[in-house]
Amino acid sequence: MISGSSGTPDGGSAEFTAEGLEPVLRKACARAGLDSHGAELLRLGSNAVYRLTSLPIIVRIARDPSVLAEMQRAVGVARWLETGDFPAMRVPAPVVQPLVVGGLVVTFWESVQEREEYATVGELADLLRRLHWLEEPESLGLPYFDPLAKLAVSLDGLGGISGEDRTFLEERAAALAKDYDRLDFVLPFGLIHGDASIGNILRHRDGHAVLIDLDGFALAPREWDLIQTAIFYDRYGWHTKAEYAEFVHRYGFDLMNWPGYETLADLRELMMVSWLGHQVTTSERSAAEFARRVRSLRTGEGRDEWGPF
């Protein structure tokens, strides 16, 4: 449900900076009946994420103003998962959301704990195995996940990179599209998280692991929820051999033994690089990492030097 909107004086979105988002946070919390005084900015990337001091609540402001439908689904997914007692982020029951303030989409979530502590890849495997057994209700209106369309939109919006890099990424995407269309998926088609990685599983204050960032829920081959853990181990060394073995054991399937692994890995990797390309004009760190990753794609070397984002 949408509770009105409040644009900036020129009708556009608020500037996506700590200063520009302060009035958005204040107005959104006021509408939700929450106190924003002393709120802590935890991160500023694709989303601005704040922790309130008055209550254990996280406020999320999306950089992309077109994600309203996605966030409506995310709130619906959270409420549905709660009815089945599935370990995931919860939404505060009394709050009507999402809100649109300053042209930006704002959502509210119960805080998992006071500090950010990630769970383990083994626990991620447990939650994915359990999630993939669920049958979603039609009322959620989950979309079919089309990675090629998602990548095309992402590449089309890359305005801050060189023409040479853009052409290279687009040509690589076109080649991968042909390979992807020939894949023979072996896991059942159905509900996926959509961005399943160690970065989206947190330790709850009572000790159990919970899935966060629910806006990517979709219908797709389940291989998509396994690919990030595989390449984080295989290509970048962000997981150890033992951690990946634990993930495989607890989920019950090793994606790296599937013939389509390399194609899916290349496509997911290109999506990661394109996502980072949207931040090159606002972050020197992102710009340096983007250049490193594109160089790796060109040469086939240096993936072990990638830094996680």
Side-chain angles (χ1 to χ4, degrees), residues 38-56:
E40 176 188 4
L41 177 61
L42 300 179
R43 72 176 60 89
L44 186 63
S46 300
N47 299 279
V49 181
Y50 293 86
R51 186 193 309 278
L52 300 186
T53 57
S54 55
L55 289 169

Side-chain angles (χ1 to χ4, degrees), residues 277-295:
H278 287 265
Q279 304 177 42
V280 299
T281 59
T282 58
S283 165
E284 292 184 3
R285 177 171 171 258
S286 296
E289 182 65 24
F290 176 77
R292 178 183 298 111
R293 293 185 180 190
V294 171
R295 187 166 57 249

Side-chain angles (χ1 to χ4, degrees), residues 224-302:
W224 273 106
D225 268 352
L226 309 182
I227 189 61
Q228 289 191 79
T229 302
I231 62 177
F232 285 6
Y233 157 65
D234 179 44
R235 295 195 170 186
Y236 318 129
W238 298 345
H239 297 318
T240 66
K241 182 177 182 179
E243 286 172 333
Y244 183 68
E246 180 73 5
F247 179 85
V248 169
H249 173 71
R250 289 166 73 161
Y251 184 82
F253 180 77
D254 187 351
L255 189 66
M256 291 175 60
N257 288 334
W258 172 55
Y261 166 68
E262 293 294 341
T263 295
L264 203 67
D266 286 346
L267 183 54
R268 190 64 183 88
E269 182 176 73
L270 187 57
M271 294 170 75
M272 291 165 57
V273 173
S274 178
W275 171 82
L276 193 61
H278 287 265
Q279 304 177 42
V280 299
T281 59
T282 58
S283 165
E284 292 184 3
R285 177 171 171 258
S286 296
E289 182 65 24
F290 176 77
R292 178 183 298 111
R293 293 185 180 190
V294 171
R295 187 166 57 249
S296 282
L297 295 187
R298 290 181 184 276
T299 64
E301 301 176 351

Side-chain angles (χ1 to χ4, degrees), residues 6-223:
S6 176
T8 53
D10 63 359
S13 297
E15 185 179 1
F16 212 83
T17 63
E19 296 76 15
L21 292 175
E22 183 178 351
V24 176
L25 174 68
R26 185 174 62 251
K27 292 176 184 177
C29 287
R31 288 187 189 174
L34 301 171
D35 181 7
S36 65
H37 180 73
E40 176 188 4
L41 177 61
L42 300 179
R43 72 176 60 89
L44 186 63
S46 300
N47 299 279
V49 181
Y50 293 86
R51 186 193 309 278
L52 300 186
T53 57
S54 55
L55 289 169
I57 289 179
I58 297 293
V59 184
R60 182 179 176 186
I61 305 174
R63 181 187 293 269
D64 183 355
S66 69
V67 300
L68 179 58
E70 291 180 19
M71 297 317 300
Q72 287 174 317
R73 281 197 300 270
V75 171
V77 165
R79 289 174 173 152
W80 169 65
L81 290 176
E82 185 173 11
T83 64
D85 199 30
F86 186 92
M89 291 188 77
R90 306 293 190 222
V91 290
V95 177
V96 177
Q97 58 171 322
L99 304 180
V100 180
V101 179
L104 299 174
V105 181
V106 184
T107 50
F108 303 86
W109 305 86
E110 293 182 3
S111 174
V112 174
Q113 66 160 297
E114 288 64 37
R115 58 190 177 88
E116 194 172 67
E117 179 185 352
Y118 296 106
T120 68
V121 291
E123 288 168 307
L124 174 61
D126 290 342
L127 289 185
L128 289 179
R129 183 177 176 85
R130 180 175 170 183
L131 179 71
H132 291 171
W133 276 101
L134 298 179
E135 184 174 349
E136 83 294 340
E138 291 185 6
S139 60
L140 285 180
L142 294 180
Y144 291 102
F145 179 62
D146 184 348
L148 300 176
K150 186 179 181 68
L151 178 58
V153 170
S154 181
L155 291 173
D156 188 57
L158 284 178
I161 68 172
S162 71
E164 183 181 3
D165 283 347
R166 184 189 182 104
T167 298
F168 168 73
L169 295 177
E170 289 175 343
E171 290 177 348
R172 187 173 179 86
L176 283 172
K178 296 178 182 179
D179 293 338
Y180 181 77
D181 286 340
R182 292 193 289 265
L183 289 182
D184 183 16
F185 291 99
V186 294
L187 294 179
F189 182 94
L191 177 70
I192 66 167
H193 176 275
D195 192 19
S197 73
I198 191 66
N200 280 330
I201 179 170
L202 295 180
R203 180 79 57 208
H204 195 275
R205 59 177 55 84
D206 69 7
H208 75 278
V210 298
L211 281 178
I212 66 170
D213 286 0
L214 309 179
D215 45 298
F217 266 63
L219 302 176
R222 267 51 183 268
E223 284 87 349

